[in-house]
């Protein structure tokens, strides 16, 4: 692994973060526009209670958009876009005299974890049984393969390093929990769910809860893996990011006033 010299690292890192942000934003906007306009081909009926049964044309525009916003994939792409746009606006080298705020560190780790879980769950549980047609042949791999690869590669190459600690990991659970609650409440209201493994109407709450807990545990393992990778990459950095003392952020209330 090669890291950029100190005089150039901040500028090029910011450009790399911008490329990640643009890639994720482009995929998200394309999916929203195609959903709203009815650009995606109707999906064949599937067993269970899954999203996708909406009126065609303008009558089904808002229901299609809300369906799109219920997918974990879309949330993960949005979080990647937001996290890396924040990195462009508030780059790591700007934190010299004070540690990065907990919310920003948690947001970045959240983006990495969620997009990684998206890629792995899609490759193992969803993708093998999907048949792609029309615009889905572009947007589906873009959100499930291209964005994860670009996001992880961008973080590995450009950092920032030393942003992952136990409170960042705890903070990174917030957005997935919000998605879970939103998805289950909306699913119960319309009797339709984004994925078969969270289809409460078909499987019952017990099995779905077990699956959700298993994915949460997997997400924690993913974040722990990123922490390990971060420690490993620090050894090869010729121009590490400024290393403020993060010990002050090891308490939940340390960043409350930031």
């Amino acid at each position: 692994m090669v890291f950029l010299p100190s005089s150039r690292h901040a500028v090029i890192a910011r450009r790399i973060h911008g490329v990640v942000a643009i890639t994720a934003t482009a995929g998200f906007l394309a999916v929203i526009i195609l959903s709203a306009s009815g650009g995606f081909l109707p999906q064949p009926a599937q067993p269970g209670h899954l999203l996708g049964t909406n009126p065609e044309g303008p009558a089904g525009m808002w229901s299609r958009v809300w369906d799109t916003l219920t997918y974990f994939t879309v949330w993960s792409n949005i979080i990647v876009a937001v996290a890396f746009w924040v990195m462009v606006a508030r780059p790591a080298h700007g934190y010299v005299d004070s540690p990065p705020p907990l919310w920003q560190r948690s947001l970045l780790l959240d983006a990495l974890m969620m997009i990684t879980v998206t890629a792995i769950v899609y490759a193992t549980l969803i993708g093998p049984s999907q048949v792609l047609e029309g615009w889905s042949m572009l947007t589906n791999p873009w959100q499930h393969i291209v964005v994860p690869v670009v996001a992880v590669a961008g973080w590995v190459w450009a950092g920032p390093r030393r942003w992952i600690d136990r409170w960042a990991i705890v903070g990174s659970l917030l957005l997935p929990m919000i998605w879970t609650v939103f998805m289950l409440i909306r699913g119960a209201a319309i009797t339709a769910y984004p994925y078969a493994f969270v289809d409460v109407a078909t499987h019952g709450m017990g099995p779905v809860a077990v699956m959700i807990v298993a994915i949460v545990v997997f997400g924690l393992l993913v974040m722990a893996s990123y922490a390990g990778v971060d420690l490993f990459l620090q050894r090869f950095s010729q121009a590490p990011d400024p290393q403020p003392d993060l010990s002050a952020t090891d308490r939940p209330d340390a960043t409350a006033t930031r």
Side-chain angles (χ1 to χ4, degrees):
M1 179 60 60
V2 177
F3 284 83
L4 302 167
S6 179
S7 60
R8 301 172 54 207
H9 180 268
V11 173
I12 299 184
R14 198 173 187 182
R15 292 175 180 174
I16 292 173
H17 293 152
V19 169
V20 177
I22 290 170
T23 303
T25 302
F28 161 67
L29 290 178
V31 168
I32 289 295
I33 292 171
L34 287 167
S35 297
S37 63
F40 289 116
L41 295 176
Q43 294 295 310
Q46 300 183 39
H49 303 80
L50 301 181
L51 299 176
T53 305
N54 298 299
E56 296 184 6
M61 181 181 71
W62 289 111
S63 58
R64 291 192 300 269
V65 170
W66 275 109
D67 279 4
T68 298
L69 292 173
T70 308
Y71 287 100
F72 187 84
T73 295
V74 174
W75 275 57
S76 64
N77 276 257
I78 293 173
I79 299 306
V80 168
V82 172
F84 280 87
W85 279 125
V86 171
M87 286 297 303
V88 173
R90 300 166 62 98
H93 66 270
Y95 299 108
V96 177
D97 300 321
S98 62
L102 176 60
W103 68 264
Q104 187 176 356
R105 294 187 289 116
S106 297
L107 182 65
L108 179 61
L109 181 57
D110 217 353
L112 294 170
M113 180 271 289
M114 290 178 69
I115 204 65
T116 301
V117 170
T118 290
I120 294 174
V121 170
Y122 178 79
T124 57
L125 297 179
I126 301 172
S129 62
Q130 267 198 331
V131 178
L132 302 179
E133 298 178 311
W135 284 108
S136 293
M137 298 178 67
L138 172 63
T139 60
N140 199 289
W142 187 274
Q143 291 197 303
H144 292 101
I145 300 173
V146 174
V147 173
V149 169
V150 171
V152 174
W155 174 78
V156 168
W157 184 262
R161 303 277 79 87
R162 298 175 173 89
W163 275 29
I164 303 174
D165 63 7
R166 62 180 179 272
W167 288 115
I169 292 176
V170 171
S172 298
L173 296 175
L174 178 60
L175 289 175
M177 290 173 60
I178 292 174
W179 172 81
T180 301
V181 172
F182 164 70
M183 176 271 298
L184 290 175
I185 291 176
R186 184 168 189 263
I190 66 174
T191 319
Y193 298 85
Y195 309 108
F197 56 85
V198 293
D199 183 354
V200 176
T202 298
H203 304 296
M205 191 63 210
V208 170
V210 171
M211 178 60 72
I212 290 173
V213 170
I215 294 176
V216 170
V217 171
F218 178 66
L220 289 170
L221 293 175
V222 168
M223 289 189 285
S225 298
Y226 276 118
V229 171
D230 186 53
L231 288 172
F232 175 78
L233 292 177
Q234 290 172 29
R235 302 179 181 182
F236 296 87
S237 176
Q238 296 178 2
D241 299 312
Q243 304 308 321
D245 181 12
L246 290 179
S247 61
T249 63
D250 285 346
R251 302 183 301 274
D253 60 342
T255 58
T257 60
R258 299 186 189 281

